[in-house]
């Protein structure tokens, strides 16, 4: 094991070869899994788009055509996800010494903007059709359009579950976003189904109303993806549960007397951790190093999403006073 010890401060950074190898394996698995899901998603979405357009035209349903546009936008969005994943999985280099994970966030932001524009256009179209009464001039939808909505609901919901499970497995934000696009497409197809059904029953305006509902669902998904991506781009902290779990791991390590501070920040879909721990002030530098190293290794082992961990040791009873203005990010936790 190769370790680097900064002499000016008692900060210990472990550079374990096993961690490097694990990081490399994670990167390869991440890229391979994401690409497989993306290719399958593109093939299915292209087929669904063509099917929905044909069903919408032959079945006289504006809602189904709007739904087809939604599916088509998913094809383009998946291409963006693939580009983001490809860049994000690259090794760290001189220009990007901390890695390329944030490029996936860039891809997700572009994706959210595209979704927002698509949703807005569909909504504006639906409103115009209601405002000028053009929906009255269109023939009532047929059973073909209704059947297309049912097929879309089933297929897209299956795609959501498969993509979401794999996204959680490799911790990919853009793949999670793609999964929720499948879910939003399933929901929009439910809207299409309701609109088409009511139109067939003699309420043609409901077809355009359904298109507006679809647009709102797309806009909601776009805002959600955009917000999550911005959080990852601006070094926001991880969720409170993850932070609590990290603290429990730290305090469980033999020799740790207390936790002075734990700070986390998201870097794309990875996590950076900085921890300050209290140790017995009479310990030798070697013993303090071993304890801090154990804390580092435990965190990285039990949290695969942690890419970088720094552990700072403070001698008991001489540690700096923690600012009371940061009670949530810098709690002083003592072992009983």
């Amino acid at each position: 094991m190769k370790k680097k010890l900064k002499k000016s401060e008692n900060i210990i950074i472990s550079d374990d070869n096993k961690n490097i190898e694990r990081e490399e394996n994670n990167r390869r698995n991440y890229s391979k899994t994401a690409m497989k899901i993306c290719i399958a998603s593109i093939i299915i979405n292209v087929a669904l788009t063509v099917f929905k357009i044909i069903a919408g035209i032959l079945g006289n349903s504006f809602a189904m055509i709007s739904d087809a546009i939604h599916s088509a936008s998913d094809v383009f969005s998946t291409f963006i996800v693939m580009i983001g994943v490809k860049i994000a999985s690259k090794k760290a280099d001189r220009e990007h010494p901390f890695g390329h994970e944030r490029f996936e966030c860039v891809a997700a932001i572009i994706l959210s903007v595209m979704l927002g524009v698509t949703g807005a256009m569909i909504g504006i179209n639906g409103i115009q059709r209601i405002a000028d009464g053009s929906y009255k001039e269109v023939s009532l939808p047929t059973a073909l359009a209704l059947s297309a909505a049912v097929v879309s609901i089933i297929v897209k919901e299956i795609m959501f579950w498969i993509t979401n499970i794999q996204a959680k497995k490799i911790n990919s934000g853009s793949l999670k976003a793609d999964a929720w696009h499948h879910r939003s497409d399933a929901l929009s197809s439910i809207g299409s189904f309701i609109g088409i059904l009511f139109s067939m029953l003699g309420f043609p305006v409901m077809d355009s109303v359904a298109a507006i509902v679809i647009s709102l669902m797309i806009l909601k998904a776009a805002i959600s993806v955009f917000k999550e991506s911005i959080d990852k781009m601006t070094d926001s902290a991880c969720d409170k549960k993850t932070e609590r779990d990290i603290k429990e791991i730290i305090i469980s390590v033999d020799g740790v007397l207390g936790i002075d501070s734990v700070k986390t920040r998201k870097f794309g879909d990875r996590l950076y951790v900085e921890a300050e721990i209290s140790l017995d002030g009479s310990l030798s530098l070697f013993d303090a190093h071993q304890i801090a190293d154990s804390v580092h290794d435990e965190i990285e082992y039990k949290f695969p999403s942690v890419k970088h961990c720094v552990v700072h040791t403070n001698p008991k009873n001489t540690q700096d006073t923690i600012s009371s203005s940061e009670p949530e990010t810098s709690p002083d936790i003592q072992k009983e």
Side-chain angles (χ1 to χ4, degrees):
M1 181 185 292
K2 180 183 176 184
K3 300 186 182 73
K4 298 177 182 178
L5 181 62
K6 191 174 179 181
K7 293 181 180 179
S8 59
E9 296 178 353
N10 52 337
I11 298 178
I12 299 160
I13 305 174
S14 175
D15 194 13
D16 195 326
N17 287 332
K18 290 183 179 179
N19 290 337
I20 295 174
E21 183 180 352
R22 184 180 64 192
E23 179 69 21
E24 182 66 24
N25 290 334
N26 286 341
R27 183 166 51 244
R28 282 197 297 265
N29 180 59
Y30 162 81
S31 180
K32 184 178 179 181
T33 302
M35 287 301 171
K36 282 183 178 180
I37 293 296
C38 286
I39 291 171
S41 177
I42 288 171
I43 293 172
I44 294 173
N45 273 323
V46 167
L48 269 178
T49 299
V50 174
F51 175 57
K52 288 179 181 179
I53 288 175
I54 294 173
I57 293 173
L58 297 180
N60 303 318
S61 173
F62 176 65
M64 183 49 60
I65 294 174
S66 299
D67 207 7
I69 295 172
H70 189 182
S71 293
S73 72
D74 280 353
V75 175
F76 291 107
S77 69
T78 303
F79 275 117
I80 293 176
V81 171
M82 291 176 73
I83 295 172
V85 165
K86 193 69 176 177
I87 298 175
S89 60
K90 288 173 62 178
K91 292 182 179 180
D93 52 32
R94 184 177 176 277
E95 288 76 21
H96 304 91
F98 292 100
H100 299 77
E101 283 85 355
R102 278 184 175 164
F103 279 95
E104 192 178 5
C105 297
V106 174
I109 290 173
I110 295 173
L111 173 61
S112 68
V113 173
M114 286 180 57
L115 275 175
V117 171
T118 302
M121 289 176 62
I122 291 174
I124 291 171
N125 236 330
I127 293 172
Q128 286 178 342
R129 284 168 61 85
I130 293 174
D132 60 22
S134 58
Y135 66 89
K136 299 175 183 177
E137 302 168 6
V138 181
S139 301
L140 294 179
T142 67
L144 176 61
L146 197 66
S147 300
V150 174
V151 171
S152 177
I153 293 167
I154 295 171
V155 172
K156 296 301 286 188
E157 188 64 18
I158 292 173
M159 290 178 69
F160 163 76
W161 282 105
I162 293 174
T163 305
N164 197 44
I165 288 171
Q166 293 301 317
K168 289 180 179 179
K169 185 178 178 181
I170 63 174
N171 192 32
S172 171
S174 60
L175 206 58
K176 287 177 185 175
D178 208 30
W180 280 101
H181 294 157
H182 294 318
R183 169 58 65 82
S184 69
D185 209 1
L187 292 173
S188 70
S189 293
I190 293 175
S192 296
F193 178 86
I194 295 172
I196 293 167
L197 180 62
F198 273 90
S199 295
M200 292 175 67
L201 294 174
F203 302 94
V205 70
M206 290 303 296
D207 193 59
S208 296
V209 171
I212 295 173
V213 173
I214 291 169
S215 76
L216 294 176
M217 290 178 178
I218 298 173
L219 286 170
K220 183 177 182 297
I223 293 170
S224 176
V225 173
F226 184 82
K227 182 180 180 302
E228 183 178 353
S229 301
I230 290 297
D231 284 345
K232 292 177 180 178
M233 289 283 283
T234 53
D235 288 346
S236 62
C238 68
D239 60 274
K240 292 183 178 180
K241 181 184 182 303
T242 300
E243 190 170 304
R244 282 197 304 269
D245 292 342
I246 290 174
K247 289 176 182 177
E248 288 177 4
I249 289 173
I250 294 173
I251 204 68
S252 68
V253 174
D254 289 341
V256 176
L257 301 180
I259 300 173
D260 301 329
S261 170
V262 172
K263 295 179 182 178
T264 62
R265 65 183 178 93
K266 295 177 183 177
F267 188 86
D269 290 309
R270 306 307 296 278
L271 197 61
Y272 279 60
V273 178
E274 295 181 13
E276 291 192 25
I277 58 176
S278 297
L279 304 180
D280 186 342
S282 64
L283 289 174
S284 67
L285 179 60
F286 178 82
D287 290 337
H289 175 91
Q290 288 293 96
I291 295 172
D293 201 38
S294 295
V295 170
H296 168 279
D297 291 344
E298 280 293 299
I299 291 174
E300 288 201 345
Y301 175 73
K302 293 184 178 178
F303 289 89
S305 61
V306 173
K307 181 176 182 177
H308 186 68
C309 179
V310 176
V311 181
H312 180 97
T313 61
N314 295 320
K316 182 68 174 176
N317 298 328
T318 60
Q319 63 202 47
D320 294 333
T321 303
I322 300 167
S323 172
S324 60
S325 63
E326 298 179 340
E328 301 225 352
T329 57
S330 302
D332 188 355
I333 299 178
Q334 306 296 325
K335 182 179 286 186
E336 294 181 0

